Amino acid sequence: MNNILYIVIPCYNEEEVLPETAKRLKVKMNSLIEKRKISPESRVVMVNDGSKDKTWSIISALHEEDPLFSGINLSRNRGHQNALLAGLMTAKDLADATVSMDADLQDDINAIDEMVDKFLDGCDIVYGVRSKRTTDSFFKRFTAESFYRLMNAMGANTVFNHADYRLMSKRALEGLAQFKEVNLFLRGIVPMIGYRTDTVTYERSERFAGESKYPLKKMVAFAMEGITSLSVKPIRLITGLGFVVFMVSIIMLIYIFVRFCMGATVAGWASVAVSVWAIGGLMLLSIGVVGEYIGKIYLESKARPRFIIEQFLNESHEKGGEEK
């Protein structure tokens, strides 16, 4: 019996690209079905993350035209990671494996063939990794690669040049379901699951239509979310910085005492002013980082649902009002 594959696609204001995305994925899925690599019960699940355009209308129309396409409508916008999780957790009970990808057609859908082959060979998680970034501008390439290096340096272990294009088996999805945190960073959580993993390299294309949902401002916020959700290293760095500042103050105290014994006056007020501003800035920065962690503890303690499904279009599996 062939394995059921669900492709999960989070969508936010993607009306410009969805028709072309659906067209290409239909060809790809039918090809895999014809080769008997996946079951005819396989589906493409598009998750509407509170879009303000016609995204959900397009998803509904695709579902009515062809049962290959399924749709999940969230009750409101919950962000890319929560929308993706909603799709994965819904597909967990219906599929043998899932492939998650964005709707913008930048991920090479031909890599799905190799992912499926590696899954059939026994892999539970297959990461889609960019082989190069020739389509990116220098600024985009520099900031993106710096993002991965910063994440790893701060203790949030991620796969370099991998976003959310990956295959996960049912067993891996069941492992993911055991992670209950509200502050989601799937790129860091998935490697924690373990099991047998592999990678597939591909060249990322330019966005087919629409605008990027991750400008620099969101990328910085995303990096902060990942670091503070997965690592306590920033707090340890603050501890180390505090120790260094304390040692410097001791050295300065000894220096001032020696100068006083030698009868020399302490020159100027500039050094004092600079020291006050520097220490004050470090204190505010430290309080801000600690506050970020306290904020996350506050959100985790409330245990609010990460998403609420308003409607699930999938033939006989229609349901509503589901919380996760």
Side-chain angles (χ1 to χ4, degrees), residues 43-58:
R43 297 286 184 267
V44 176
V45 183
M46 298 179 177
V47 184
N48 179 41
D49 184 25
S51 299
K52 299 176 181 179
D53 59 5
K54 299 178 181 178
T55 294
W56 180 242
S57 298
I58 295 173

Side-chain angles (χ1 to χ4, degrees), residues 203-215:
E203 292 187 28
R204 193 165 164 89
S205 307
E206 294 183 5
R207 186 180 177 88
F208 178 79
E211 297 180 354
S212 172
K213 303 303 185 294
Y214 275 96

Side-chain angles (χ1 to χ4, degrees), residues 5-9 25 28-29 32 42-46 91 97-101 112:
L5 175 71
Y6 270 48
I7 296 181
V8 178
I9 305 174
L25 285 175
K28 174 55 63 180
M29 293 292 278
L32 289 170
S42 299
R43 297 286 184 267
V44 176
V45 183
M46 298 179 177
T98 63
V99 170
S100 58
M101 62 185 299
I112 295 176

Side-chain angles (χ1 to χ4, degrees), residues 93-195:
D93 300 322
L94 304 170
D96 297 298
T98 63
V99 170
S100 58
M101 62 185 299
D102 292 333
D104 55 18
L105 292 175
Q106 288 189 279
D107 298 323
D108 182 10
I109 63 174
N110 291 319
I112 295 176
D113 294 73
E114 192 173 351
M115 288 183 177
V116 171
D117 288 339
K118 289 181 181 292
F119 164 68
L120 296 175
D121 191 42
C123 289
D124 285 287
I125 302 173
V126 184
Y127 299 103
V129 178
R130 294 185 63 167
S131 57
K132 52 187 176 180
R133 291 181 171 269
T134 54
T135 58
D136 291 345
S137 64
F138 172 78
F139 180 76
K140 173 65 177 177
R141 183 167 57 252
F142 174 77
T143 54
E145 292 182 351
S146 297
F147 166 81
Y148 291 105
R149 291 191 176 96
L150 174 63
M151 294 296 295
N152 290 329
M154 289 292 103
N157 295 323
T158 59
V159 178
F160 189 75
N161 270 339
H162 163 72
D164 288 301
Y165 188 26
R166 70 179 76 87
L167 178 145
M168 298 182 69
S169 68
K170 179 187 286 288
R171 184 169 71 151
L173 290 173
E174 289 172 349
L176 177 62
Q178 297 182 48
F179 289 80
K180 302 298 183 180
E181 54 252 57
V182 174
N183 301 284
L184 277 180
F185 187 71
L186 293 175
R187 300 182 196 183
I189 293 175
V190 173
M192 294 181 183
I193 297 172
Y195 298 135

Side-chain angles (χ1 to χ4, degrees), residues 310-323:
E310 180 179 329
Q311 190 175 7
F312 178 30
L313 303 176
N314 192 37
E315 296 182 335
S316 61
H317 301 289
E318 294 184 9
K319 53 185 175 181
E322 182 174 325
E323 296 186 6

Side-chain angles (χ1 to χ4, degrees), residues 74-92:
L74 300 187
S75 60
R76 69 179 184 89
N77 178 262
R78 293 295 299 157
H80 178 274
Q81 296 290 280
N82 284 304
L84 177 54
L85 184 71
L88 293 175
M89 292 300 97
T90 302
K92 173 175 66 71

